[in-house]
Amino acid sequence: MSRRDDVLATLAAAPGFLAAQQVYTRLRARQIGIGLATVYRVLAALEAEGVADVVRSAGGETLYRLCRSSGHHHHLLCRDCGRAEELDAAVVERWAAGVAREHGFDDVSHTVEIVGRCSRCRG
Amino acid sequence: MSRRDDVLATLAAAPGFLAAQQVYTRLRARQIGIGLATVYRVLAALEAEGVADVVRSAGGETLYRLCRSSGHHHHLLCRDCGRAEELDAAVVERWAAGVAREHGFDDVSHTVEIVGRCSRCRG
DNA sequence: CTATATGCAAAAAGTTTGCATCTCC
DNA sequence: GGAGATGCAAACTTTTTGCATATAG
């Protein structure tokens, strides 16, 4: 099994986003002798291929997660357990495009992240 | 004039977001002998006070800008010149809250960044 | 005089790169 | 044997911290 597959398996097993360091730690915990550099290289490749989503944490880390849907989408993230749900958001798409046009902006892309507390964590 | 005011003046003079390093460079260019550590400390304070907006760049830097409106808002950012316009977005607010509720999420906050090319940069 | 602010340099934290080795074809 | 993958360690970038000095009230 290639290191790439090891990283993919780790991401696939996670409910939400993982930092590179977390991927590394989990693999080492499973006795897989991967290097941190390889983790970073694989994650960068997955991002480039569009296989993984990327968000930046408040602490400045880069977090990765496998894309569950292929198209453009957004995330709903639990701030306590890190659980992430992917959202389809035609409404925001249209909103974003419209607002941009009003301001004379073109060629628009956007980021939407919603963070809250999920039912499980609300207790 | 305190270093805090120097940093505030620099942010106020910028059309968009600035990285800490840019604030530092601009101040040094104006013969102001500030330390990089102070820039970071002041920016962190401004963020904590809610005086400055913060976004993370794709490169992992933390970018700062003075808030122009006091309430919650979003940004429309030009990817070429960095010009940023602040948006009021009642529509997204409602959308975000609604989507969250559907998924059993509570206590929601969100981030929306729209990036495009402004009329000036489109040529 | 005491508390806070500041500068410098060192230290962290996260990420990337150089390079030798190892693997698979 | 050769291209690409990998590990390790060193380098880099951004940000934070320790500590001594300077400044404000």
Side-chain angles (χ1 to χ4, degrees), chain B residues 24-110:
Chain B
Y24 174 72
T25 303
R26 290 178 189 207
L27 286 170
R28 302 294 288 206
R30 286 172 43 215
Q31 316 297 326
I32 294 173
I34 194 173
L36 188 52
T38 302
V39 172
Y40 276 104
R41 281 190 278 240
V42 169
L43 289 174
L46 294 178
E47 177 188 0
E49 293 165 32
V51 175
D53 289 324
V54 180
V55 305
R56 302 251 164 205
S57 76
E61 300 157 281
T62 307
L63 307 178
Y64 297 86
R65 214 199 64 167
L66 292 189
C67 293
R68 262 115 209 208
S69 56
S70 48
H72 181 67
H73 52 255
H74 301 286
H75 297 110
L76 177 56
L77 190 67
C78 177
R79 73 164 61 85
D80 287 345
C81 68
R83 185 148 70 99
E85 313 212 351
E86 234 158 62
L87 308 171
D88 167 77
V91 181
V92 218
E93 313 292 303
R94 276 194 291 272
W95 171 79
V99 162
R101 205 177 321 110
E102 282 171 34
H103 288 259
F105 278 59
D106 226 350
D107 199 5
V108 179
S109 67
H110 58 273

Side-chain angles (χ1 to χ4, degrees), chain A residues 56-61 74 76-79 83-89 91-92 95-97 99-100 103-120 122, chain B residues 56-61 74 76-79 83-89 91-92 95-97 99-100 103-120 122:
Chain A
R56 303 250 163 206
S57 74
E61 302 156 280
H74 301 285
L76 176 56
L77 190 66
C78 176
R79 74 165 59 85
R83 186 150 69 99
E85 314 213 348
E86 232 158 64
L87 308 171
D88 167 77
V91 182
V92 218
W95 172 80
V99 161
H103 287 258
F105 278 59
D106 227 349
D107 200 6
V108 180
S109 65
H110 58 272
T111 305
V112 174
E113 293 291 335
I114 307 182
V115 181
R117 186 161 4 249
C118 74
S119 48
R120 254 181 282 173
R122 205 162 52 239
Chain B
R56 302 251 164 205
S57 76
E61 300 157 281
H74 301 286
L76 177 56
L77 190 67
C78 177
R79 73 164 61 85
R83 185 148 70 99
E85 313 212 351
E86 234 158 62
L87 308 171
D88 167 77
V91 181
V92 218
W95 171 79
V99 162
H103 288 259
F105 278 59
D106 226 350
D107 199 5
V108 179
S109 67
H110 58 273
T111 305
V112 174
E113 292 291 334
I114 306 181
V115 181
R117 186 161 3 251
C118 75
S119 48
R120 254 181 281 173
R122 204 162 56 237

Side-chain angles (χ1 to χ4, degrees), chain A residues 29-46:
Chain A
R30 286 172 44 216
Q31 316 297 324
I32 294 173
I34 195 173
L36 188 51
T38 302
V39 172
Y40 277 105
R41 282 189 279 239
V42 169
L43 289 174
L46 295 178

